Amino acid sequence: LMYLLECAPQTDNNGSLPGVVGESMGKEYYQALLQEQEEHYQNRATSLKRQIAQLKQELQEMSDKLKSLQEKKSPKVNGMNYQGTKEQTSNDLLEFLHSQIDKAEVSVGAKLPSEYGVIPFESFTSMKVFQLEMGLTRHPEEKPVRKDKRDELVEVIEAGLEVINNPDEEDGQDEDDGVGDRQLYSENDFIEGYYRTERDKGTQYELFYKKMDGMEYRHVTLFRPFGPLMKVKSETVDISRSIINIIVPLAGRTEAFAQFMQNFRDVCIHQDKRVHLTVVYFGQDGLSEVKSILESVARETDFHNYTLVSLNEEFNRGRGLDMGARAWEKGEVLMFFCDVDVYFTAEFLNSCRLNAEPGKKVFYPVVFSLYNPAIVYANQDMPPPVEQQLVHKKDSGFWRDFGFGMTCQYRTDFLTVGGFDLEVKGWGGEDVHLYRKYLHGDLMVIRTPVPGLFHLWHEKHCADELTPEQYRMCIQSKAMNEASHSHLGMLVFRDEIEAHLRKQ
């Protein structure tokens, strides 16, 4: 239109534009038309701005009157409550926020079609985040670099402290004790947390606090329904009497078992002191050595809480764990299914206790798997001691997010879902079948990387007797265990590198 007004040639003296029939409409007519349209849109914009201002004012009024809503079923947000100017508006907002929690997998597990449907948790401490989604640029352990992520985690930790230090009647705290008698918690008492986001609902946070000199943990669940933080529950968790039955299936590999028992002695006997060890041994070769190692540890440390189950048959991991679970005859117990190549810390044992609950939750931690030390430390004369290899670095290992063998769950839950599929023979598969059983049920599956659980490297042998699917899984695991992307690249291009050095 502007082009026609300025550039079109005039066909007669009255200045009318070509193509316009019956009327003599020149520049002035179109300028008036433009002005009229411009005024119309300005009025429309003014009206929208006025509506936005009114909405902002109503939202501010809702935020300013938080406490009065506490008397009517309201969630707590940073210790305060929301109320709008109109009761109906407030109730609608609360109903929406509560519906977000009800729809999310916070209190009850959701039935999922496969392991790919699980939304894993990320774990964090006050200083670091342990993450699964790394790509090739992020690290398995990071300090939060982005300011918004740091602020988010700080806000969540402080909100949890506000819930603990200012409990409601519904939290079950003894109100007879005055505030002066109640033990207050600080940021230094925060132990660990987990979070995950359901994209259409919000973010769930599980927080744990503990005093240095006590064994009681405070557990707070918070939920951010793409809005303010809302308290879901606050409870006290006492794990001082929680026994863990560590079940290890084994065949041969006595040297690896001796190394495992060294870690068991340091962590379980000297530090934790609330464990029972069940070793399920297959075959006769090496059985006497295993007995000797167990008796030696028992004699030196006065530790007798162990059971040795001997099976004179071919190794089957699922059957071994199943036999270990059924060998326990003292009723309910928390079980940790463990392999002889796994190194764990005392902190992990407490995480095991905190994240498994009979009839409600099973814990499937993601193990940090170490690469072949001969490749990782190729520039050194020999690899450092095992304890010095336990670092979360890109070139030292990776989060084994495709493995489901290490798990903490209660015996009754394990028996209720039917245990392992004992038809699975040889390497792999049995742990995935059990994992899927829980996914198809009502129990919550807590899946998160944990810093205190390591899988030590050992050479893998994939037997010819395996099915094609099992053999593929075995080879894939073997390849991923060997070295990092960059180290494997150095091996692949070793001839090129040596040729370049010779030219130089």
Side-chain angles (χ1 to χ4, degrees):
L1 183 61
M2 294 304 297
Y3 169 78
L4 291 174
L5 290 175
E6 298 296 335
C7 304
Q10 296 183 354
T11 57
D12 54 29
N13 294 331
N14 65 9
S16 62
L17 293 175
V20 180
V21 180
E23 288 186 348
S24 175
M25 293 182 291
K27 224 186 247 190
E28 292 77 14
Y29 171 82
Y30 288 103
Q31 286 176 341
L33 189 61
L34 281 172
Q35 176 137 10
E36 181 181 348
Q37 291 294 324
E38 187 177 354
E39 288 176 356
H40 171 74
Y41 287 118
Q42 283 181 347
N43 292 337
R44 177 65 176 158
T46 302
S47 174
L48 289 173
K49 287 180 180 178
R50 185 164 57 251
Q51 293 179 46
I52 291 172
Q54 290 174 351
L55 289 172
K56 284 184 177 179
Q57 182 179 0
E58 290 180 11
L59 187 59
Q60 184 62 42
E61 289 173 353
M62 291 173 68
S63 301
D64 290 339
K65 300 180 179 178
L66 304 175
K67 290 189 178 179
S68 56
L69 196 61
Q70 180 67 27
E71 300 170 355
K72 310 173 180 179
K73 182 190 174 187
S74 96
K76 203 161 196 180
V77 182
N78 291 338
M80 299 182 292
N81 306 301
Y82 280 111
Q83 174 173 349
T85 54
K86 298 178 181 178
E87 182 176 347
Q88 185 60 42
T89 305
S90 302
N91 290 338
D92 289 346
L93 176 62
L94 286 173
E95 185 177 348
F96 165 75
L97 297 177
H98 279 290
S99 71
Q100 292 291 87
I101 296 180
D102 293 337
K103 289 187 292 185
E105 191 180 358
V106 177
S107 301
V108 179
K111 295 184 178 180
L112 302 171
S114 72
E115 65 270 26
Y116 303 108
V118 175
I119 302 175
F121 285 78
E122 309 282 340
S123 61
F124 66 99
T125 65
S126 57
M127 296 297 294
K128 294 180 180 178
V129 175
F130 304 92
Q131 57 212 4
L132 284 177
E133 298 296 331
M134 297 177 292
L136 292 176
T137 58
R138 299 174 65 191
H139 300 279
E141 173 193 271
E142 275 189 348
K143 293 182 179 179
V145 177
R146 288 175 56 107
K147 183 178 184 298
D148 57 348
K149 173 58 70 176
R150 292 199 306 269
D151 292 346
E152 174 199 0
L153 297 181
V154 169
E155 179 194 7
V156 167
I157 294 172
E158 290 177 350
L161 289 171
E162 181 72 20
V163 169
I164 294 174
N165 292 330
N166 299 281
D168 296 333
E169 294 180 5
E170 61 193 54
D171 293 337
Q173 302 290 326
D174 294 333
E175 294 192 355
D176 296 335
D177 298 337
V179 176
D181 299 329
R182 192 166 62 235
Q183 197 173 32
L184 296 180
Y185 287 74
S186 68
E187 291 86 353
N188 295 332
D189 299 322
F190 175 72
I191 303 300
E192 63 181 355
Y194 309 100
Y195 69 92
R196 69 175 177 182
T197 299
E198 293 184 62
R199 295 183 185 276
D200 60 340
K201 300 177 185 69
T203 303
Q204 172 188 353
Y205 302 90
E206 303 289 343
L207 310 172
F208 297 94
Y209 302 80
K210 184 180 80 73
K211 288 292 184 183
M212 287 288 292
D213 53 350
M215 285 307 300
E216 275 194 352
Y217 283 75
R218 295 303 308 273
H219 175 206
V220 177
T221 300
L222 299 175
F223 190 78
R224 187 196 300 275
F226 294 132
L229 283 171
M230 302 175 65
K231 184 188 74 179
V232 176
K233 67 177 178 180
S234 176
E235 61 183 357
T236 298
V237 182
D238 184 3
I239 61 171
S240 58
R241 298 182 179 179
S242 179
I243 302 296
I244 299 179
N245 182 17
I246 301 177
I247 304 176
V248 181
L250 187 63
R253 309 201 57 204
T254 54
E255 291 184 5
F257 183 69
Q259 185 180 43
F260 173 86
M261 287 306 298
Q262 182 61 46
N263 176 42
F264 184 88
R265 180 204 301 249
D266 295 340
V267 172
C268 300
I269 300 177
H270 294 157
Q271 297 181 52
D272 191 87
K273 302 177 181 178
R274 290 163 293 158
V275 298
H276 184 95
L277 175 64
T278 300
V279 178
V280 182
Y281 196 86
F282 290 82
Q284 297 299 315
D285 293 341
L287 178 59
S288 58
E289 288 91 335
V290 169
K291 283 183 179 179
S292 176
I293 292 171
L294 287 171
E295 292 170 356
S296 174
V297 171
R299 189 169 53 251
E300 295 171 6
T301 62
D302 196 27
F303 175 83
H304 301 284
N305 294 331
Y306 70 88
T307 302
L308 177 61
V309 179
S310 176
L311 299 176
N312 192 17
E313 55 189 77
E314 184 182 354
F315 179 79
N316 183 310
R317 185 176 184 273
R319 173 158 169 74
L321 294 172
D322 191 85
M323 289 294 295
R326 298 179 190 277
W328 180 270
E329 299 177 347
K330 301 177 183 177
E332 183 67 291
V333 69
L334 175 59
M335 305 182 300
F336 171 37
F337 294 159
C338 185
D339 286 345
V340 71
D341 302 298
V342 167
Y343 184 102
F344 54 86
T345 65
E347 289 75 20
F348 165 74
L349 294 178
N350 286 334
S351 298
C352 182
R353 295 180 174 100
L354 293 169
N355 290 287
E357 189 174 349
K360 292 186 178 180
K361 294 189 293 186
V362 291
F363 187 38
Y364 272 87
V366 180
V367 182
F368 193 76
S369 190
L370 298 177
Y371 292 133
N372 186 345
I375 298 177
V376 176
Y377 305 99
N379 59 344
Q380 301 181 20
D381 294 336
M382 59 182 301
V386 171
E387 290 75 16
Q388 296 180 23
Q389 299 179 30
L390 307 179
V391 291
H392 302 94
K393 303 295 182 185
K394 287 173 66 175
D395 285 336
S396 64
F398 67 100
W399 292 114
R400 185 187 286 264
D401 58 343
F402 57 85
F404 307 95
M406 283 3 96
T407 172
C408 298
Q409 51 194 257
Y410 276 85
R411 185 173 182 270
T412 53
D413 294 331
F414 174 77
L415 297 177
T416 299
V417 299
F420 287 103
D421 182 358
L422 300 182
E423 298 301 317
V424 177
K425 304 295 182 183
W427 187 92
E430 79 289 332
D431 49 359
V432 181
H433 283 83
L434 178 63
Y435 185 66
R436 287 172 178 166
K437 286 183 180 180
Y438 284 118
L439 299 183
H440 296 161
D442 294 327
L443 270 66
M444 290 183 64
V445 177
I446 308 297
R447 178 79 167 155
T448 180
V450 290
L453 192 60
F454 295 86
H455 183 273
L456 305 180
W457 182 89
H458 63 91
E459 189 171 359
K460 283 185 176 291
H461 298 282
C462 298
D464 293 334
E465 296 79 25
L466 296 176
T467 66
E469 176 65 15
Q470 288 178 321
Y471 192 81
R472 184 193 63 80
M473 292 171 61
C474 185
I475 289 294
Q476 180 187 39
S477 178
K478 183 175 181 177
M480 294 191 67
N481 270 275
E482 202 63 21
S484 66
H485 193 151
S486 59
H487 275 148
L488 288 176
M490 297 294 284
L491 291 175
V492 170
F493 300 115
R494 179 166 51 191
D495 293 342
E496 287 186 34
I497 296 171
E498 292 177 353
H500 172 76
L501 293 176
R502 284 196 297 269
K503 290 179 181 179
Q504 292 296 315

